[in-house]
Amino acid sequence: MSTNLQNLLELNQPALAAFFAQVGEKPSSVKMRAKQTLKWLHQSQVTDFSAMTDIAKGTRETLAAHAEIRDLTVIRDSTASDGTRKWLFDVGSSAVDAVFIPEEGRGTLCISSQAGCALDCAFCSTGKQGFNRNLSTAEIIGQLRYADLTLKADLGIVGRTLDGVQPVTNVVMMGMGEPLANFEAVVPALELMLDDNAYGLSRRRVTVSTSGLVPQIDELAKRSPVALAVSLHAPTDALRDVLVPINKRYPISELLASCNRYLEFAPRDFITFEYVMLDGVNDQMEHAEALIKIARQVPCKLNLIPFNPFPNSEFKKSPREQILAFQRRLSDAGIVTTIRKTRGDDIDAACGQLAGQIKDRTRRTIAIHAARMANTLGEDA
Ligand code: SAH
Ligand code: SF4
């Protein structure tokens, strides 16, 4: 298809209404057309305009002349023995992934916002890979569209209705990339997740995870406040400067202040702080004591993530006893602290045919995605 065609998956409701106006639809009906089209795209997940049967034939012909529905291409689809499922998508020069974790009563999809990441956190394989490019809104929402459609097909469910059984009940932006560094593409994708004419998820069931871009946290509060997870990983600026280098620009005190500002708009009354447990680096009792002081400054829950090692990484996973002792200390201080469960561990076996580089990254990222999803959500999520 020609690249002049507008990919409709790129557009949230206002943008879709503007598109209809631009192609000559009457002003009085652009809003209705936008809603109808969203339903076809994100609830019935059609791939062809001819299937949009409640839209007049002439309008469908106009759509076909000016627009397209361009989905992501899947490179690999793997399922672990525990039901965790991962799709690897081709985004041109690179690949990104989405991971689905089914649990009793909910299904969480972890999606990517960038190919690679520029922020270079010391313990992160995505960061080590460097920045490739931002994903578009279509590529971000496309991960949800693809997963939703595929999982529904497996269950024999046709179409998405807001009151019916749905495989994806929660979305977390904890895959590859820093979502708030791709703000202008991420926000319309969030809006589509929330829109009742599209995926209709509540704000508390959509989580953005950030390494701590303070101005964008403030902006997100204004534009689309969803649940927020913050990758803290260290209780002092000296250590966080090393582990999460963006801390040099936005130190812990500024980050905590932005979390408190965010909570005025947030759909939940706490921030989730993520803390990767690195042996001998940030997992000692002195770190727990410092972390308690920080956690008392913001209504929060803490999620401890056992480090997932990768080739040439300079860190080791904290021993289990250390993680448990760390958790106990925080819990004793009254801070709700969870430890991630491991899911989808065996998927790397299914990735055997992939090229080595992708295989390695795949194995690492599934563990990371699974880690992030397992415990970051509130009990009522
Ligand atoms: N960029 C955002 C969201 C995605 S990053 C952020 O930093 O919050 C994915 C998350 O995976 C990071 O927060 C980090 O907690 C986690 N992570 C990265 N590398 C990891 C590793 N090797 N082991 C365990 N968790 C890791
Ligand atoms: Fe980027 Fe997040 Fe990895 Fe840091 S942890 S390098 S912000 S993806």
Side-chain angles (χ1 to χ4, degrees):
M1 282 198 192
S2 151
T3 49
N4 300 332
L5 297 175
Q6 170 68 54
N7 185 2
L8 294 186
L9 300 180
E10 192 63 27
L11 307 178
N12 62 2
Q13 195 181 142
L16 210 43
F19 170 78
F20 273 110
Q22 203 187 318
V23 296
E25 189 71 29
K26 288 197 302 285
S28 57
S29 57
V30 292
K31 205 166 171 195
M32 182 190 68
R33 288 280 178 251
K35 288 183 180 175
Q36 283 174 313
T37 308
L38 281 184
K39 285 191 170 130
W40 284 115
L41 292 174
H42 298 290
Q43 297 187 359
S44 305
Q45 285 138 331
V46 301
T47 52
D48 200 310
F49 299 118
S50 62
M52 300 177 165
T53 47
D54 65 354
I55 296 182
K57 194 146 178 281
T59 309
R60 279 189 261 152
E61 282 164 6
T62 307
L63 279 177
H66 296 279
E68 61 177 331
I69 305 168
R70 193 168 357 110
D71 276 302
L72 288 164
T73 310
V74 179
I75 305 173
R76 189 90 201 166
D77 177 345
S78 353
T79 306
S81 55
D82 64 7
T84 301
R85 185 152 175 189
K86 187 182 85 63
W87 297 275
L88 188 67
F89 298 105
D90 180 2
V91 290
S93 53
S94 189
V96 299
D97 38 36
V99 177
F100 177 69
I101 295 201
E103 287 174 290
E104 191 65 38
R106 78 173 172 213
T108 305
L109 185 71
C110 178
I111 64 180
S112 298
S113 57
Q114 299 181 309
C117 182
L119 298 187
D120 200 21
C121 298
F123 53 84
C124 176
S125 57
T126 306
K128 294 291 153 220
Q129 196 181 309
F131 179 65
N132 187 303
R133 71 170 173 83
N134 279 328
L135 299 188
S136 65
T137 297
E139 290 167 331
I140 297 167
I141 204 67
Q143 296 168 62
L144 175 54
R145 178 175 137 103
Y146 186 88
D148 199 40
L149 181 63
T150 308
L151 294 164
K152 278 191 310 202
D154 289 353
L155 293 169
I157 303 171
V158 180
R160 182 178 183 96
T161 55
L162 296 182
D163 48 0
V165 175
Q166 295 301 335
V168 179
T169 60
N170 296 64
V171 174
V172 294
M173 301 216 59
M174 295 180 180
M176 288 179 78
E178 167 52 51
L180 297 187
N182 185 15
F183 195 83
E184 293 306 330
V186 164
V187 167
L190 294 175
E191 286 164 351
L192 285 167
M193 293 171 204
L194 303 170
D195 194 320
D196 279 348
N197 297 288
Y199 297 93
L201 298 173
S202 78
R203 290 187 181 279
R204 34 199 304 126
R205 288 171 180 263
V206 175
T207 301
V208 164
S209 175
T210 179
S211 56
L213 302 188
V214 166
Q216 286 83 356
I217 291 175
D218 286 329
E219 199 55 29
L220 188 67
K222 286 189 222 145
R223 292 270 297 275
S224 195
V226 293
L228 189 68
V230 171
S231 295
L232 191 60
H233 304 315
T236 62
D237 281 325
L239 184 55
R240 197 164 188 270
D241 280 353
V242 176
L243 296 180
V244 185
I246 194 71
N247 193 68
K248 291 185 213 142
R249 196 162 343 148
Y250 307 114
I252 293 174
S253 60
E254 287 182 30
L255 180 57
L256 298 182
S258 75
C259 288
N260 278 322
R261 289 193 296 273
Y262 192 85
L263 281 172
E264 289 175 34
F265 303 88
R268 293 183 177 278
D269 55 8
F270 63 91
I271 301 284
T272 301
F273 284 134
E274 298 158 285
Y275 196 95
V276 64
M277 296 293 285
L278 305 169
D279 187 23
V281 174
N282 66 351
D283 66 347
Q284 302 298 299
M285 279 307 128
E286 76 209 48
H287 300 115
E289 298 304 331
L291 195 50
I292 289 166
K293 294 205 178 84
I294 285 184
R296 288 195 171 136
Q297 295 173 51
V298 179
C300 68
K301 293 187 180 179
L302 209 71
N303 186 213
L304 304 179
I305 309 173
F307 172 62
N308 178 54
F310 54 91
N312 305 322
S313 84
E314 57 203 284
F315 301 104
K316 284 200 306 235
K317 194 189 256 188
S318 304
R320 185 79 190 160
E321 315 79 70
Q322 189 65 22
I323 299 178
L324 288 170
F326 202 87
Q327 180 195 31
R328 213 173 306 120
R329 181 67 197 94
L330 287 149
S331 299
D332 286 350
I335 293 147
V336 177
T337 306
T338 49
I339 303 173
R340 80 110 205 251
K341 307 183 254 272
T342 304
R343 297 282 306 254
D345 266 1
D346 58 334
I347 289 193
D348 62 308
C351 299
Q353 289 161 318
L354 291 175
Q357 199 197 348
I358 292 183
K359 180 185 166 188
D360 280 350
R361 199 172 61 69
T362 300
R363 189 178 59 236
R364 293 196 303 271
T365 51
I366 180 100
I368 292 166
H369 282 277
R372 304 300 302 286
M373 276 182 282
N375 279 315
T376 41
L377 302 160
E379 43 303 314
D380 58 347

